[in-house]
Amino acid sequence: MDAAPDTAHRVAYIINGVIRVATVEPWVTLLDLLREEFDLTGAKKGCDHGQCGACMVLLNGHRINSCLVLAVGRNGSVVTTIEGIGAPDGLHPLT
């Protein structure tokens, strides 16, 4: 995401146990950050209104629709995506 230097914000998250840092515009959603900046495509852009749940991730242990959350508003949070749940040899009940 190309961000203009005067409006861009630096954000840092712990995503699936890994610290990740990016610079984003204030209107970028958490979903777009995950998919476009970090190539974590398990959360999908479905309705883009928080109705379908395709974009669901865990944010600080709570289920949220990432299409409704601005990335700058949850800076410093812990995010778990479907990619971070379980492993091929020990699947989590959600997968």
Side-chain angles (χ1 to χ4, degrees):
M1 289 175 215
D2 294 326
D6 54 316
T7 61
H9 295 270
R10 185 177 166 101
V11 294
Y13 285 90
I14 299 174
I15 302 175
N16 300 330
V18 177
I19 297 172
R20 298 191 182 238
V21 178
T23 302
V24 298
E25 293 290 349
W27 54 82
V28 172
T29 64
L30 180 58
L31 176 62
D32 289 336
L33 176 70
L34 292 170
R35 291 181 60 81
E36 296 173 18
E37 184 70 26
F38 300 134
D39 200 30
L40 295 169
T41 58
K44 306 296 183 199
K45 187 174 277 201
C47 67
D48 218 17
H49 295 285
Q51 298 295 313
C52 70
C55 65
M56 195 273 299
V57 299
L58 297 177
L59 182 79
N60 297 328
H62 299 280
R63 191 170 38 106
I64 59 121
N65 291 325
S66 60
C67 72
L68 298 179
V69 174
L70 295 176
V72 296
R74 300 302 174 111
N75 188 18
S77 295
V78 176
V79 177
T80 304
T81 67
I82 194 66
E83 292 94 342
I85 296 178
D89 59 341
L91 293 178
H92 187 278
L94 290 178
T95 56

